[in-house]
Short mmCIF file of all heavy atoms in Angstrom, two decimals:
data_model
loop_
_atom_site.label_atom_id
_atom_site.label_comp_id
_atom_site.label_asym_id
_atom_site.label_seq_id
_atom_site.Cartn_x
_atom_site.Cartn_y
_atom_site.Cartn_z
N THR Y 432 35.06 31.94 -35.50
CA THR Y 432 34.41 31.94 -36.80
C THR Y 432 34.13 30.52 -37.21
O THR Y 432 34.83 29.59 -36.85
CB THR Y 432 35.28 32.62 -37.87
OG1 THR Y 432 36.49 31.89 -38.00
CG2 THR Y 432 35.57 34.07 -37.51
N VAL Y 439 26.78 20.68 -42.12
CA VAL Y 439 25.38 20.32 -42.00
C VAL Y 439 24.83 21.19 -40.88
O VAL Y 439 25.43 21.32 -39.83
CB VAL Y 439 25.23 18.83 -41.66
CG1 VAL Y 439 23.79 18.49 -41.38
CG2 VAL Y 439 25.80 17.97 -42.77
N THR Y 452 29.38 33.42 -27.85
CA THR Y 452 30.04 34.49 -28.59
C THR Y 452 29.53 35.85 -28.13
O THR Y 452 28.55 35.94 -27.40
CB THR Y 452 29.83 34.30 -30.11
OG1 THR Y 452 30.72 35.17 -30.81
CG2 THR Y 452 28.41 34.61 -30.52
N ALA Y 461 27.01 33.33 -48.28
CA ALA Y 461 27.77 32.10 -48.09
C ALA Y 461 27.00 30.99 -47.37
O ALA Y 461 27.57 29.95 -47.08
CB ALA Y 461 29.03 32.42 -47.29
N SER Y 467 20.55 31.20 -41.73
CA SER Y 467 20.41 32.59 -41.31
C SER Y 467 19.19 32.76 -40.41
O SER Y 467 19.22 33.54 -39.46
CB SER Y 467 20.33 33.53 -42.52
OG SER Y 467 19.15 33.33 -43.25
N ALA Y 482 24.23 41.23 -36.92
CA ALA Y 482 24.34 42.03 -38.12
C ALA Y 482 24.42 41.11 -39.32
O ALA Y 482 24.94 40.00 -39.23
CB ALA Y 482 25.56 42.94 -38.07
N ARG Y 494 31.89 46.24 -41.70
CA ARG Y 494 30.73 47.13 -41.59
C ARG Y 494 29.64 46.50 -40.75
O ARG Y 494 28.98 47.16 -39.95
CB ARG Y 494 30.20 47.49 -42.97
CG ARG Y 494 31.10 48.43 -43.72
CD ARG Y 494 30.57 48.75 -45.09
NE ARG Y 494 31.48 49.66 -45.76
CZ ARG Y 494 31.47 49.87 -47.06
NH1 ARG Y 494 30.60 49.24 -47.83
NH2 ARG Y 494 32.33 50.71 -47.60
N ALA Y 499 26.62 45.99 -35.53
CA ALA Y 499 26.27 45.18 -34.36
C ALA Y 499 26.74 45.86 -33.08
O ALA Y 499 26.00 45.93 -32.10
CB ALA Y 499 26.88 43.78 -34.48
#
Side-chain angles (χ1 to χ4, degrees):
T432 61
V439 173
T452 192
S467 67
R494 288 179 180 163

